Amino acid sequence: MVTLTTRTCRERGVTLVACRLNNDGPEPRVARVASQMDPPGTAPPRHAGEDATLRVALPENAVVGTGFATPAEPSEPPARLIETERPTEEQSDADVVAGLSDPRPPHDAVVAGSPEAEPPTDDGTPALEARFADSETRIERLAAVAAATTVPAATRALADEGGLAAVEALNAQVAKDRERLLAVADRALTLAGRAEAAEPPMDALERLS
Amino acid sequence: MILAVIGGKGGVGKSTVAFELAAALDAVCVDGDLGMADLPSRCGPDLHDVLAGRATPIEAVDESGPVDLLPCGRTLAGARGCEPTALSAVLETVAAEYDRAVVDCPAGLGRDSGAALAAADACLVVTTRERAALSDALRARELARTLDAGLVAVVVNFASDPGAVREKFGAPAVALPESAAIARATRHGLTLGEIAPDSAVTARIDELATLVQRSVSSV
C-alpha cells in the first residue's frame, strides 16, 4: 500500500511542500499526488501536469520524495494521494532519440557522387556484393604488387601475378573497376535522393483513409 | 564518465566550455557538432569518419594538442554520410579507453544531441541571460532529464552573476564573465590554463570541474 506524508514550510513568500511516498507493497507502483493549494504550484520541479498532479514512480518497498512550491499560504492537507497504478512500459532511450529531428544536411545540399555522402549499409544485393568482392580482390592484388619496394620482392610479386603483361592487365582492370564503382556510387546517390523526395505525406494520407 | 555540454541555442559558448572543461578534467573532448564543427580541427580521421564506419573512435582521438580531441569533419557530404545515433556507442568506447569524455553537443535538439545525452552520465547546460537562450536551455534540460543525464550545473555565459537562473533551473548556476583571456585562448586553440592560469574565468572553470567531479562518483 502507498501512503503519503507531507510537510510544509514557508520561506521568502514561497510555500515549499515536501511529500514522502512510502510503497510498502511488493510491486512497483506509479502514484498521482494532487496539490490542494490555491494556486496549486508554480515553481520547479515542473513535472506537475496541467491538472496540477505529480506522477511519481515508486519501486517496490521504497520511500520516494517529491514536492512542489507555490506562493499560496500553507493549508491542510497541502497535497492528496489521488490514486496509484501499475507502471506502464517507459519509452526507451533509443525511441526518444529516434523521435528527434535528423541533423544531417539534405541530399540536395551534397555534391553528387561524393564518395562519403551516404551512410554505411549492409543491405547490398548479392550480385552487387559479388561485384564489390571481385573488385576488392583485384584491388588488393594490385596493392600487393605496388607494396613491393625491393627488387627481390618486386620480382616475386611479378612472378606471383604471372609476369609484367598480367600486371598491366590487372592495372587496366582495376582502373575500370574504379570507374564502375564511382558510377554505382553516383547511381546510389541519385536513387537515395529520389527515395527521399518520393516520401508521401503519410499523416495527411492517414487522415484521408 | 561521459559529460554532455548542451544548450539548445547556438553561440552561447558550449564549445568553449566543453573544451576548457575537458582540459580541467583531463578528459577527451569530443566535437559532437556533426553539421557545424567549431573546435580546432587537425589532420587525420574525424567523427564523420567514425560515424560512417571508416575509422575507429580511438584512432580518431588526436592527442597532439593541449586537450585530447576527437574532432569533427566540416564537409556537408561527411555530415550527410554519418549515422548520428551511433554517437552513443562512440562516446562509450572513448570513455572506456580514456576514462573521461566531454562531448560538445550541437545547437538544436536533434538526434545527435539525443544520442550524446543518452550515453552521458551527466550534463552541463550552457546559456546566456537572453530570453531565447534561456528557453532553449530549459528545453535542453528537459531532454536531458528524459534521457537520464543528470544536470550538474547551468553555466550562464557572458555574465558576471547568474541572476535568477539557479531558481529557474533548480540547479547550481555558475556565471562565466566575458573575458579577453577566453577570446585569446580560442584564437590560438589553447586552453585558459595555458594562457591565463590565474584569471577569474579560469577559477570559474575549475569550480565547474569540481562540481562535475562531485556529482559523478566515478570521476
Side-chain angles (χ1 to χ4, degrees):
Chain A
M1 191 187 146
V2 178
T3 49
L4 168 72
T5 47
T6 55
R7 205 178 58 221
T8 55
C9 70
R10 195 156 170 85
E11 236 179 73
R12 286 189 287 176
V14 175
T15 303
L16 303 168
V17 181
C19 304
R20 189 180 145 98
L21 287 152
N22 183 4
N23 177 18
D24 57 11
E27 299 281 329
R29 307 288 292 175
V30 173
R32 272 180 63 207
V33 177
S35 165
Q36 302 294 297
M37 313 277 277
D38 186 25
T42 51
R46 297 172 196 213
H47 272 341
E50 282 172 10
D51 52 353
T53 63
L54 294 161
R55 287 174 63 85
V56 185
L58 300 167
E60 66 274 15
N61 292 312
V63 178
V64 172
T66 183
F68 56 92
T70 161
E73 291 290 337
S75 65
E76 272 307 318
R80 201 163 53 84
L81 179 64
I82 306 180
E83 60 174 358
T84 68
E85 58 199 23
R86 239 184 250 278
T88 47
E89 283 289 309
E90 274 202 11
Q91 217 182 359
S92 75
D93 282 3
D95 292 338
V96 173
V97 174
L100 298 172
S101 59
D102 189 344
R104 289 175 295 187
H107 174 258
D108 290 349
V110 177
V111 181
S114 176
E116 55 183 22
E118 285 305 322
T121 52
D122 305 323
D123 56 356
T125 59
L128 211 52
E129 278 301 316
R131 274 176 62 187
F132 284 155
D134 286 348
S135 300
E136 197 169 6
T137 315
R138 280 192 290 271
I139 292 165
E140 275 166 7
R141 274 166 53 202
L142 194 65
V145 175
T149 50
T150 60
V151 175
T155 316
R156 216 171 27 246
L158 272 180
D160 284 350
E161 282 301 332
L164 184 62
V167 173
E168 273 171 355
L170 182 63
N171 197 15
Q173 185 60 46
V174 168
K176 271 189 206 151
D177 281 342
R178 182 176 176 277
E179 293 300 315
R180 281 205 194 119
L181 287 168
L182 287 175
V184 169
D186 246 0
R187 175 107 193 269
L189 213 59
T190 313
L191 276 176
R194 281 174 58 191
E196 204 168 88
E199 202 172 290
M202 287 312 291
D203 289 351
L205 291 179
E206 269 165 26
R207 277 199 300 279
L208 282 176
S209 68
Chain B
M1 186 277 303
I2 302 168
L3 177 78
V5 178
I6 54 169
K9 190 173 178 303
V12 292
K14 290 182 291 294
S15 303
T16 307
V17 169
F19 189 73
E20 293 298 341
L21 256 184
L25 290 165
D26 193 20
V28 175
C29 188
V30 179
D31 190 346
D33 197 341
L34 304 183
M36 291 187 185
D38 47 12
L39 283 171
S41 68
R42 300 164 193 161
C43 294
D46 55 42
L47 191 60
H48 283 170
D49 296 316
V50 176
L51 293 178
R54 291 187 294 266
T56 68
I58 303 305
E59 68 186 345
V61 175
D62 184 321
E63 299 177 357
S64 66
V67 177
D68 291 348
L69 180 69
L70 202 171
C72 191
R74 285 150 202 261
T75 61
L76 282 175
R80 172 81 194 159
C82 283
E83 180 43 60
T85 52
L87 183 58
S88 300
V90 170
L91 293 172
E92 274 154 19
T93 308
V94 171
E97 181 73 20
Y98 287 86
D99 271 359
R100 302 167 189 184
V102 175
V103 53
D104 172 28
C105 293
L109 297 173
R111 268 177 229 159
D112 38 4
S113 292
L117 284 170
D121 302 297
C123 72
L124 268 185
V125 170
V126 184
T127 180
T128 64
R129 287 176 67 172
E130 273 174 56
R131 214 183 151 82
L134 283 168
S135 65
D136 283 355
L138 279 166
R139 289 195 299 140
R141 194 268 309 259
E142 209 48 47
L143 180 64
R145 187 181 269 165
T146 309
L147 291 167
D148 282 335
L151 176 60
V152 174
V154 182
V155 180
V156 189
N157 206 0
F158 311 122
S160 47
D161 77 280
V165 167
R166 191 174 70 96
E167 287 73 22
K168 230 180 209 116
F169 284 79
V174 175
L176 280 187
E178 214 156 333
S179 137
I182 288 194
R184 219 162 60 240
T186 308
R187 205 163 48 241
H188 297 291
L190 295 171
T191 65
L192 272 174
E194 291 171 297
I195 289 251
D198 301 320
S199 73
V201 72
T202 311
R204 296 281 172 85
I205 293 286
D206 288 340
E207 188 187 328
L208 276 172
T210 310
L211 280 172
V212 172
Q213 277 170 320
R214 259 196 233 137
S215 45
V216 187
S217 53
S218 63
V219 177

